[in-house]
Amino acid sequence: MTTQPKIPLILDGDPGHDDAIAWTLAHASGRFDIRAVTTCAGNQTIEKTTYNALRVCALIGLNVPVARGCPRPLLTAPMNAPSVHGESGLDGPALPEPAFEIQPFGAVELMARVLRESSEPVTLVSTGPMTNTAALLLAHPELKPKIARISLMGGGLLHGNWTPAAEFNILVDPEAAKIVFESGLPILMAGLDVTEKALILPEDFARIREQGSAVSDVVWQWLEFFYKFHRNLGYAGAPMHDPCAVMALLYPELFTMKDCYVQIETLGDYCKGATVPDWHGAAGHAPNATCLMDVDRDAFADRLVQLIARYKEVRP
Ligand code: BDR
Ligand code: CA
């Protein structure tokens, strides 16, 4: 029997319920060699998302270097999302306290060290505003060849969620997103086009609840908390925005994808933070992103439930 080599990975995000679930799935899969976790400001302040990141690591038994990211977007004023994720950024079930300390240096330095020390290119999974990744590309252009690709949750080719035109992660730091999308690196884009179809329904929460492990007990309550906000907006379930960035690496066959040149709007009275797709090549550029457009919802939910079931033996 041949075993597939693990994919070296850095997880960069702003946990956040769906970031936390994305990381939980990535760790459960066993398909990744997670080399670092880095935090960004977004759903909450950098202090809160970093504390949450450490608590998620403690819960799922992920013991890798964690570093605090940039405290604010590159140019735009900071913005958080307490209406979605609560005052802590990860409201809901009680979590274990951090099991270890963060690194004495920041996220960009940790990313640079991981890339420099890696003998093979590393995949970045970005589930928050892209401030750290953009700062890394600006500070260390020589490390670009060490990035295999960026699988990101951000944007929406048809619509936004924070404004009619903009999705939250891009709106928080549009300049960073522009740097990333114009970097020439391969991008796998999980935008709202797909993430709002990747719904986990109340009956799926029940399947996770029945598993009865320490991790599944937290995950179904995260899902319930996250769903409460979305139910009021008319969603039938909890949209798995950030998990799509991980699931697309694990199970690409579940997704419909389309290559496209995506431009980031950094200005504008109405469209700041929009991800503008150039479907017909009007701007004269080759595609810079593979965009996830659709997903087999039932298969996605089954895989998610199965991955959480792998935590039956884990005790934080
Ligand atoms: C994105 O915004 C955040 O609130 C979520 O964690 C996700 O990354 C969805 O727009
Ligand atoms: Ca996020």
Side-chain angles (χ1 to χ4, degrees), residues 14 18-19 43 127-128 169 242:
D14 58 342
D18 52 339
D19 302 78
N43 287 326
T127 57
N169 289 341
D242 295 339

Side-chain angles (χ1 to χ4, degrees), residues 10 198 254:
I10 296 175
L254 300 185

Side-chain angles (χ1 to χ4, degrees), residues 5 8 13 42-43 48 83 113 117 146 158 167 198 206 245 268 273 285 313:
N43 287 326
K48 291 182 181 180
S83 58
R113 287 184 189 208
E117 287 163 14
K146 301 299 278 293
L158 294 176
E167 180 278 331
H285 296 288
E313 304 311 320

Side-chain angles (χ1 to χ4, degrees), residues 25-301:
L25 298 171
H27 185 44
S29 74
R31 289 286 322 286
F32 301 116
D33 173 7
I34 301 172
R35 306 256 174 103
V37 166
T38 52
T39 60
C40 53
N43 287 326
Q44 264 300 349
T45 61
I46 196 67
E47 290 75 22
K48 291 182 181 180
T49 60
T50 304
Y51 176 54
N52 293 340
L54 289 171
R55 295 193 299 156
V56 172
C57 287
L59 174 76
I60 64 177
L62 177 60
N63 196 347
V64 298
V66 176
R68 186 189 348 240
C70 304
R72 46 158 296 148
L74 296 182
L75 295 177
T76 304
M79 193 174 92
N80 306 133
S83 58
V84 187
H85 300 275
E87 275 311 316
S88 71
L90 196 47
D91 277 9
L95 294 172
E97 285 303 310
F100 52 81
E101 303 272 318
I102 55 170
Q103 297 297 303
F105 42 80
V108 175
E109 177 60 22
L110 178 57
M111 287 170 149
R113 287 184 189 208
V114 168
L115 295 177
R116 219 177 277 126
E117 287 163 14
S118 179
S119 56
E120 51 189 325
V122 177
T123 296
L124 301 187
V125 172
S126 166
T127 57
M130 284 166 244
T131 319
N132 294 331
T133 307
L136 171 77
L137 294 172
L138 291 175
H140 297 287
E142 78 285 359
L143 291 174
K144 236 180 177 186
K146 301 299 278 293
I147 301 174
R149 62 170 156 173
I150 303 174
S151 181
L152 61 89
M153 190 285 137
L157 301 179
L158 294 176
H159 60 274
N161 60 359
W162 219 253
T163 71
E167 180 278 331
F168 180 77
N169 289 341
I170 308 286
L171 183 64
V172 170
D173 200 339
E175 285 78 16
K178 186 174 166 67
I179 289 168
V180 171
F181 274 83
E182 292 182 1
S183 66
L185 288 165
I187 291 175
L188 193 54
M189 171 179 165
L192 299 171
D193 317 282
V194 71
T195 67
E196 292 187 338
K197 296 173 188 153
L199 295 176
I200 295 297
L201 307 175
E203 54 259 41
D204 302 315
F205 307 174
R207 290 199 281 162
I208 295 171
R209 185 177 185 167
E210 280 161 16
Q211 292 172 7
S213 74
V215 175
S216 66
D217 275 352
V218 168
V219 171
W220 75 259
Q221 292 180 77
W222 278 340
L223 286 164
E224 281 230 327
F225 186 94
F226 199 52
Y227 178 45
K228 232 182 272 162
F229 171 84
H230 291 92
R231 190 176 44 207
N232 292 336
L233 298 176
Y235 288 70
M240 290 294 92
H241 301 298
D242 295 339
C244 282
V246 168
M247 295 291 265
L249 295 174
L250 291 173
Y251 311 113
E253 68 280 4
L254 300 185
F255 295 86
T256 307
M257 309 183 189
K258 220 168 156 184
D259 287 350
C260 181
Y261 186 73
V262 178
Q263 291 174 312
I264 308 295
E265 178 59 87
T266 56
L267 303 166
D269 289 335
Y270 304 109
C271 295
K272 183 178 174 184
T275 40
V276 182
D278 184 10
W279 292 121
H280 305 295
H285 296 288
N288 61 354
T290 298
C291 307
L292 308 181
M293 301 305 296
D294 205 352
V295 61
D296 177 340
R297 204 264 2 144
D298 291 349
F300 179 95

